[in-house]
Amino acid sequence: MAMTRRLLFGAGLLTLAGLGYIRTAPMDPEVWHADPEAGARTGKPNDYLVGPGGDREAIVVEEAPAELLARLDAVALAEPGTTRLAGDPAEGWVTYVQRSRLMGYPDAISVRVVPEGAGGKLMIWSRSRYGHSDLGVNRARVMRWLDALALSGLG
């Protein structure tokens, strides 16, 4: 009985330590600031890509890339648990990290707008760092951001 309690206590401590690491796990910009146009998908159902070869084609807009990304930056950073990892809207390419409320699981969201005609071509790659399936979290995030920008019906 005492041995079982010790094992359960030890397992509980390991679980808490693991969750503590996940909540504070660093996201290396060299790894996670990935170009949505050239990103290497894992084949697991834990990402959502708007762009070439993705779940949805890139969205062509008439808005200047820097202006669109400035609006998207405001939408992204208004969401709880979201920070900018790398890039800048003026550069046309930004990567954000959004951590889930309860467990703190980090997701990386790379957004790029390349000039096309008088406007640009918007690409977004939202992906989970941990786990096999995201239960639709990345798709929902991308659609929420597109809705906020009034772009969900385009593309």
Side-chain angles (χ1 to χ4, degrees):
M1 185 78 144
M3 180 64 143
T4 302
R5 282 189 185 147
R6 283 188 203 137
L7 286 173
L8 288 174
F9 182 74
L13 284 178
L14 286 174
T15 300
L16 287 175
L19 292 176
Y21 174 76
I22 287 171
R23 291 192 71 76
T24 61
M27 297 287 285
D28 183 356
E30 294 291 321
V31 174
W32 294 100
H33 188 47
D35 184 348
E37 197 166 23
R41 299 180 79 181
T42 64
K44 296 188 287 187
N46 68 351
D47 73 345
Y48 188 79
L49 175 64
V50 174
D55 302 288
R56 180 177 178 173
E57 286 302 312
I59 299 172
V60 177
V61 297
E62 295 179 12
E63 191 171 356
E67 291 174 11
L68 176 59
L69 271 177
R71 287 194 316 124
L72 190 138
D73 193 61
V75 167
L77 295 176
E79 290 204 352
T82 305
T83 57
R84 194 181 308 143
L85 177 68
D88 187 274
E91 298 170 4
W93 180 17
V94 183
T95 296
Y96 303 92
V97 173
Q98 187 174 61
R99 292 184 181 269
S100 64
R101 289 182 193 195
L102 181 62
M103 303 298 281
Y105 288 110
D107 291 345
I109 309 98
S110 295
V111 181
R112 186 163 181 222
V113 181
V114 295
E116 182 162 303
K121 183 170 67 170
L122 171 66
M123 295 166 284
I124 305 174
W125 186 23
S126 184
R127 60 230 183 261
S128 300
R129 177 172 178 175
Y130 297 106
H132 179 77
S133 175
D134 68 354
L135 303 174
V137 168
N138 286 295
R139 181 189 184 284
R141 175 186 303 111
V142 170
M143 296 310 295
R144 193 170 56 248
W145 290 10
L146 292 176
D147 284 344
L149 296 170
L151 298 176
S152 60
L154 300 178

